[in-house]
Amino acid sequence: MTASIATNPRRFSRLSGLGVFRPERVVSNDEICEKIESSDEWIRERSGIIERRHADAETSIIDMAAAAAERAIADAGLTSADIDAVILATISHPLQTPSAAVLVADRLGLVDPGAFDISAACSGFPYGIGLADSLVSNGQATNVLVIGVEKLTDWTDPYDRGTAFIFADGAGAVVVSPSEEPGIGPTVWGSNGAEAEAIICLPDWNALRKENAETGIEKWPVLHMQGQKVFRWAVSEMAPIAKEALEVAGLTPDDIQLFVPHQANMRITDALVRALGFPETVTVARDIQTAGNTSAASIPLALDRLRQEGVAKSGDLALLIGFGAGLAYAAQVVRIP
Ligand code: UT7
């Protein structure tokens, strides 16, 4: 037998703080319809969106993420010196490298933190919570910032009637810290890369560089979505995943107070609620009405709204589920800080 490997003592983790950043500019459906053939009525009926926030040209995802993170750290009663790891979920960071996480960590003045990005689109935030739970539980880190941030308007064609009205900008962050009691349930996650083309950023850079050189017009890749396909997948496949996240946490729908799905489309939320059979005591997050679909940022933004409205109270149990491009998904139960 060779020498044994020492491990850190195991412990529980919990959410200790939450903070968000919503860009100032409110964009109405009518304004979106100046560039696409659609109507306020159609957008409300088919997606539930009444308005959304767009960040201005000068505001980067680093600005938005840092603002949300500062609020989450303060909400946890900590300072940036207490944070030793940063996990940042996004699909709208314009640089392939360095990661947005290291830039945000530097902006916050963190000293030598572990920092990395995850690319799991609309499931990025619960993926990040699952990773942070593991890092804290096994003693690899003490206080982990998990950030979901998107400036999707940089990657959306305002003339595409399949995406222009749905995608929006924002940021949300939580701190995951050690706990005497379990504050985060096991994460149920998965992916299906065979359906990668359902939401994809096209065309690839090489093709676009060639086109730009030929036309003299500088264009970026943009998001393309097969809306109906993603809709059907979310409605049929995500309810069993949400159910499993409850079961592995040893809970039933009667035990939770809040259901906070990714804010993809109000009709998807309604279908999930019907399939899961929540009692009336469960409050369902519907932040999409005024925030649009902000991908990795949508769950913490929706959680924050419920807290601001006094509906989500400290100690409440919330079922989170993210799903989208990949296709990828993740879900878990958390206790509200
Ligand atoms: O967050 C990541 C994951 N993303 C999602 O979960 C999004 C999932 N998908 C959706 O939310 C929906 O598919 C959309 C909201 C994007 C679209 O709604 P839909 O009900 O699936 O529309 P559709 O594509 O099936 O189109 C229905 C009709 C079509 O007309 P016909 O063929 O029935 O005459 C479209 O041409 O609506 C038409 N249409 C529009 N009309 C007005 C499509 N887009 C628009 C539009 N305005 N923007």
Side-chain angles (χ1 to χ4, degrees), residues 228-240 264 268 272 323:
Q228 268 197 20
K229 187 177 209 175
V230 183
F231 188 99
R232 280 198 300 270
W233 167 74
V235 164
S236 61
E237 312 259 332
M238 290 303 101
I268 294 177
L272 292 178
F323 48 85

Side-chain angles (χ1 to χ4, degrees), residues 36-38 42 46 122 161-162 165-166 199 225 227-228 230-231 262 264-265 267-268 293 323-324:
I36 57 170
E37 201 192 315
S38 189
W42 190 93
R46 305 306 288 177
C122 309
R161 75 204 288 249
F165 65 94
I166 203 162
I199 308 180
M225 179 167 69
Q228 268 197 20
V230 183
F231 188 99
H262 163 49
N265 180 319
R267 290 186 296 133
I268 294 177
N293 178 333
F323 48 85

Side-chain angles (χ1 to χ4, degrees), residues 143-305:
N143 294 298
V144 182
L145 254 180
V146 179
I147 304 169
V149 57
E150 301 290 3
K151 192 178 179 191
L152 292 174
T153 49
D154 276 352
W155 303 89
T156 303
D157 178 353
Y159 296 93
D160 174 15
R161 75 204 288 249
T163 54
F165 65 94
I166 203 162
F167 292 133
D169 305 334
V174 292
V175 181
V176 175
S177 304
S179 173
E180 307 219 320
E181 302 287 330
I184 299 174
T187 296
V188 177
W189 67 13
S191 66
N192 179 8
E195 300 291 354
E197 295 208 347
I199 308 180
I200 192 163
C201 203
L202 284 171
D204 69 54
W205 258 122
N206 284 336
L208 198 60
R209 258 202 304 264
K210 197 158 165 270
E211 188 188 316
N212 289 349
E214 281 163 10
T215 61
I217 301 166
E218 200 180 323
K219 283 205 236 157
W220 286 64
V222 289
L223 288 159
H224 292 255
M225 179 167 69
Q226 297 172 30
Q228 268 197 20
K229 187 177 209 175
V230 183
F231 188 99
R232 280 198 300 270
W233 167 74
V235 164
S236 61
E237 312 259 332
M238 290 303 101
I241 302 301
K243 226 174 243 171
E244 194 182 333
L246 279 177
E247 279 163 17
V248 294
L251 301 168
T252 71
D254 290 325
D255 294 320
I256 63 163
Q257 287 72 46
L258 307 156
F259 177 50
V260 189
H262 163 49
Q263 302 290 288
N265 180 319
M266 190 73 88
R267 290 186 296 133
I268 294 177
T269 298
D270 289 338
L272 292 178
V273 168
R274 276 195 301 277
L276 289 161
F278 289 120
E280 295 210 336
T281 47
V282 173
T283 300
V284 178
R286 297 183 183 283
D287 191 42
I288 191 167
Q289 288 174 318
T290 53
N293 178 333
T294 57
S295 192
S298 87
I299 291 175
L301 282 168
L303 259 182
D304 182 72
R305 180 175 300 281

